Amino acid sequence: MLWRSQMADVPFEGIYRRQVDLDAPDAQTVVGWLEDESHHFGITLVHDGTHIRELRMAAPRYPWTTCAEAVRPLQALVGKPLVARASQLGTLADVRLQCTHVFDLASLMVAHAHAGRGHRRYHGTVEPLAAVRPDAPEGWQRATLHRDGVVVLQWDLHDDRIMAPAVHAGRTIYHGFREWTESLAPEEAEHALVLRRVAFVSNGRRITIEHLDSAAELGQAAVCHSFQPAQRERATPMPDSRRRYDTTPEEMLAQMRVQP
């Protein structure tokens, strides 16, 4: 696929970061924000303790002109039950019609509401393993997930495969991943899902889209809202939509106190 082949000869440098903030200001509301180099979205979820009653979305920054429309397919979740696992939300709506990143955020928010949590912050990073271990094999990466400032999961990766720790070694972050995480305890599974997305999306920094006329030119399958046949021809790159936070993570999620 063109999307994957574009990355083959582009080195990964620096520290990629993705942050998610989840906050419940009251018993019926969860406010969530997500930001990385190419995406910045916010959602307000209103629920009655058992079901989703309202979803509002803000889109300060996104790569394709059609991404901001993702609030419409997101409404398919209104009336659906709160679920304990973020991964379960995909059984309640067609994920391919959604913005992947907005749906990721909504999934974490629904699980947050179901658990009755107050506040949670995820901060995921990906960097060359050689930056932290000089003897590291060429091309390996270190993916780390902090939850509320504490490391809860860390993988060494090579070609999308977990190489360490030994308990996870050999697993790919693509095929069969969800089947594996469904066998884990809910919190452990959520950590794995969040870090898997951090690792996957970090590859986007090695892909240039600014020169394209539309998303259709990437040759990507219809895996999300902007790549659906109805959108891909009119989905054009947003100018100056990328931000790098390699050394300035404190600048991320500047709007997290705002309710969309």
Side-chain angles (χ1 to χ4, degrees):
M1 189 183 297
L2 178 59
W3 180 271
R4 298 291 298 279
S5 64
Q6 282 188 320
M7 302 185 296
D9 299 320
V10 181
F12 190 99
E13 300 174 339
I15 304 175
Y16 168 87
R17 300 181 186 275
R18 183 175 174 100
Q19 293 195 34
V20 176
D21 192 88
L22 309 168
D23 186 59
D26 58 60
Q28 288 79 42
T29 309
V30 175
V31 178
W33 284 93
L34 176 153
E35 185 169 16
D36 60 25
E37 294 183 0
S38 298
H39 314 92
H40 190 183
F41 294 109
I43 297 174
T44 295
L45 181 155
V46 180
H47 63 92
D48 60 8
T50 59
H51 289 78
I52 301 168
R53 294 307 178 196
E54 184 180 355
L55 287 163
R56 304 190 299 270
M57 187 186 101
R61 187 167 52 83
Y62 43 89
W64 304 101
T65 52
T66 51
C67 296
E69 302 170 2
V71 66
R72 295 203 296 266
L74 192 66
Q75 301 310 304
L77 294 174
V78 174
K80 296 296 194 297
L82 301 179
V83 292
R85 289 174 176 261
S87 59
Q88 292 177 300
L89 204 65
T91 66
L92 304 180
D94 189 341
V95 180
R96 295 169 299 178
L97 302 181
Q98 305 286 334
C99 165
T100 301
H101 312 282
V102 170
F103 199 76
D104 281 350
L105 178 58
S107 299
L108 293 169
M109 293 173 66
V110 169
H112 193 79
H114 185 277
R117 303 187 196 112
H119 180 260
R120 174 168 289 189
R121 167 73 72 89
Y122 284 118
H123 183 177
T125 62
V126 176
E127 59 188 317
L129 185 58
V132 293
R133 210 185 84 192
D135 64 337
E138 184 177 357
W140 285 34
Q141 296 173 323
R142 167 70 55 86
T144 304
L145 182 67
H146 292 79
R147 192 188 83 191
D148 300 325
V150 177
V151 175
V152 291
L153 189 59
Q154 191 168 77
W155 296 329
D156 290 345
L157 300 167
H158 183 244
D159 289 340
D160 307 319
R161 190 171 295 277
I162 300 172
M163 310 305 290
V167 68
H168 298 151
R171 296 191 179 276
T172 172
I173 64 171
Y174 289 102
H175 305 296
F177 190 85
R178 185 185 172 194
E179 289 78 4
W180 169 53
T181 58
E182 289 300 292
S183 70
L184 303 176
E187 288 278 57
E188 189 179 359
E190 182 166 300
H191 297 163
L193 287 169
V194 173
L195 189 56
R196 183 255 187 193
R197 184 63 73 185
V198 173
F200 178 78
V201 181
S202 70
N203 288 318
R205 69 159 41 174
R206 297 190 285 169
I207 298 172
T208 301
I209 66 171
E210 288 76 12
H211 64 289
L212 301 177
D213 292 326
S214 72
E217 292 184 38
L218 271 179
Q220 176 74 314
V223 295
C224 70
H225 174 76
S226 290
F227 285 97
Q228 289 295 317
Q231 281 79 247
R232 65 176 62 178
E233 296 290 348
R234 62 185 183 85
T236 57
M238 290 289 292
D240 302 318
S241 64
R242 296 204 182 196
R243 305 283 188 276
R244 285 191 61 153
Y245 296 106
D246 299 52
T247 60
T248 56
E250 70 282 356
E251 295 181 3
M252 301 178 74
L253 297 178
Q255 299 189 46
M256 68 180 184
R257 301 301 178 195
V258 178
Q259 285 196 23

